[in-house]
Amino acid sequence: MKETLRQYFKENLLFWAGMMLIILIMGLFLFENGQIETHFLLNSYHSPCMDVCMKVLTTLGSGLPCYVGIVVLIFWFRKGLFILLSQGVAMIITQPLKYTIARPRPLTLLGYENLPNVVDYAIPGGYNSFPSGHVAAIFAFMACLAALLPKKYKAWQLAILVVAVAAAYSRIYLSCHFLEDTLVGAPIGAFSTAIAFMLLYYKEWGECPVYKLRIIHHDGSQS
């Protein structure tokens, strides 16, 4: 299992290294400016085109990954299970944290009147902002896509990472989350994918503990 995890990180180094570098840079930015000022700085520019793009990108963290996983499950069982399991692990980690830590969302903390660039979007209030479940789901899904790329297309992991970061930013743009919510949600989602990979890929197909394939040999015996 340890060897499988090493193989996973080796083959997905571009995605992981890029993600950790971005988290480091944005973490320093957050440390320098503080929670509230950072949120206003990241919301300093809005446009009708950006509003539409952000609303579309944010759906990557809603039910879309699960729908894709179900479709893939029909044609490629283990790959579909990989996507769905990573989403499940991300949810199991984030949901208890959200309601235990109970950090206020931007709308609750700042008030609608103090958010100058709120778009026409159903912004949730409440005290379940940290960490971002949407961002965890986004990065779990995109990390799955990066892992499922054939070896000759691994350079496309950078493009997948760009989409993941843009989708994570949509949560800040729409004032659904603060930056720190996304900075913690992202690695949770990515690590959820690593966990799912270990559970499903550490043995050859047919020996996977989650789904065993019965093979009927020519002599009638089964294995």
Side-chain angles (χ1 to χ4, degrees):
M1 212 165 190
K2 183 178 179 181
E3 187 63 31
T4 302
L5 186 61
R6 184 183 295 112
Q7 173 194 350
Y8 170 78
F9 285 119
K10 181 180 179 181
E11 293 181 356
N12 298 281
L13 182 61
L14 284 177
F15 183 91
W16 277 84
M19 180 188 72
M20 298 309 295
L21 179 61
I22 292 170
I23 289 174
L24 175 61
I25 293 172
M26 297 309 296
L28 292 173
F29 182 76
L30 175 64
F31 179 79
E32 180 70 22
N33 295 285
Q35 181 190 51
I36 306 302
E37 183 64 22
T38 295
H39 190 73
F40 285 129
L41 286 172
L42 293 177
N43 278 272
S44 60
Y45 175 77
H46 275 236
S47 71
C49 180
M50 285 280 287
D51 291 351
V52 173
C53 291
M54 292 298 112
K55 289 179 184 179
V56 172
L57 282 170
T58 203
T59 62
L60 289 175
S62 52
L64 182 61
C66 291
Y67 300 144
V68 172
I70 292 170
V71 172
V72 174
L73 191 73
I74 298 172
F75 300 98
W76 301 281
F77 186 87
R78 185 156 59 164
K79 292 178 180 178
L81 192 59
F82 178 39
I83 295 172
L84 293 174
L85 183 58
S86 66
Q87 292 293 308
V89 173
M91 183 179 68
I92 289 172
I93 296 173
T94 56
Q95 293 305 309
L97 289 174
K98 289 167 72 73
Y99 292 97
T100 301
I101 298 173
R103 292 275 294 276
R105 290 181 181 268
L107 181 60
T108 301
L109 184 64
L110 303 176
Y112 190 95
E113 66 281 0
N114 294 316
L115 295 173
N117 289 314
V118 173
V119 298
D120 182 18
Y121 185 80
I123 302 175
Y127 291 85
N128 56 350
S129 186
F130 181 90
S132 171
H134 263 74
V135 173
I138 288 166
F139 269 80
F141 181 50
M142 302 311 283
C144 280
L145 296 185
L148 293 174
L149 283 173
K151 288 186 177 181
K152 63 180 180 179
Y153 297 122
K154 286 297 184 182
W156 283 95
Q157 288 183 7
L158 292 177
I160 291 174
L161 177 61
V162 169
V163 175
V165 171
Y169 172 65
S170 74
R171 304 304 292 166
I172 302 169
Y173 183 94
L174 298 170
S175 282
C176 296
H177 284 285
F178 292 108
L179 175 60
E180 60 264 35
D181 305 336
T182 67
L183 293 182
V184 175
I188 287 176
F191 275 108
S192 297
T193 299
I195 293 170
F197 187 88
M198 283 194 299
L199 292 175
L200 292 173
Y201 286 92
Y202 81 93
K203 289 188 176 181
E204 294 295 329
W205 184 241
E207 298 176 351
C208 176
V210 178
Y211 179 79
K212 292 189 176 181
L213 182 67
R214 298 174 67 86
I215 302 174
I216 301 179
H217 300 286
H218 293 296
D219 59 3
S221 62
Q222 296 183 356
S223 61

